[in-house]
Amino acid sequence: MTQISTERKTAYYLGTGIALLGLLLFLSVFVTAALNFGNFDHFEAQVRSFGLRAFGGIVLLFVGSAIRNVGARGLAGSGVLLDPEQAREDLKPFSHMTGGMISDTLDKANLGKHLGVGARPDRVVMLKCRECGFHNEENSKFCQECGSEV
Ligand SMILES: [Zn+2]
């Protein structure tokens, strides 16, 4: 079984932390708004602060989720790097975990065999173009990217 690297674990927890921080920042806008309801002193400054915090919160949430995603699936698996082979490798522990959990649950309910769930899907074989390196579908005669013979 492929081990998830320490870097990816760190990225996962770091991303979760950042996303959580962003969420709290975003929610704090509504809390402050509710607390200051009816208080129109420094109204413009308040609105500006709300806007900044809401925006900052959303940015943090977005960035945090992205980092978390990379941590969970690896660089290639999350689509940061375009490398199908590395993607499959990176996603292995992830899909293994998910698939294993599902088949475990189904086994307990004695439904797994009945539904045929838990069986591994057929491996997708890709043909790499000799000219440009594009990964074409199995059985393709010509490259989908540059048109040369595969
Ligand atoms: Zn090609």
Side-chain angles (χ1 to χ4, degrees):
M1 190 181 153
T2 317
Q3 288 293 314
I4 299 179
S5 66
T6 318
E7 287 82 6
R8 276 172 64 186
K9 277 183 192 156
T10 311
Y12 183 83
Y13 291 121
L14 188 76
T16 309
I18 293 172
L20 208 65
L21 205 70
L23 187 69
L24 286 175
L25 193 66
F26 186 72
L27 290 177
S28 81
V29 175
F30 298 101
V31 175
T32 322
L35 289 174
N36 286 321
F37 190 74
N39 176 10
F40 291 106
D41 297 338
H42 314 295
F43 185 68
E44 264 179 54
Q46 268 185 45
V47 169
R48 208 175 304 134
S49 150
F50 286 174
L52 273 174
R53 273 192 288 168
F55 181 73
I58 289 168
V59 169
L60 279 179
L61 195 64
F62 184 77
V63 170
S65 308
I67 295 173
R68 187 173 178 268
N69 199 31
V70 170
R73 298 173 187 192
L75 278 179
S78 54
V80 175
L81 293 174
L82 212 59
D83 185 342
E85 275 152 39
Q86 186 60 38
R88 210 176 298 133
E89 196 61 33
D90 279 352
L91 280 171
K92 223 184 259 173
F94 193 69
S95 41
H96 187 87
M97 193 169 68
T98 320
M101 263 156 59
I102 291 167
S103 60
D104 277 2
T105 314
L106 288 174
D107 273 356
K108 267 173 208 146
N110 206 14
L111 281 168
K113 278 170 249 160
H114 202 62
L115 296 170
V117 186
R120 292 189 139 259
D122 287 337
R123 239 174 96 93
V124 183
V125 181
M126 303 296 269
L127 288 173
K128 198 170 178 179
C129 172
R130 270 168 289 178
E131 293 300 317
C132 69
F134 185 81
H135 286 81
N136 292 286
E137 279 173 36
E138 192 182 12
N139 302 329
S140 19
K141 282 203 165 119
F142 299 99
C143 176
Q144 285 157 18
E145 188 70 18
C146 70
S148 67
E149 217 172 315
V150 182

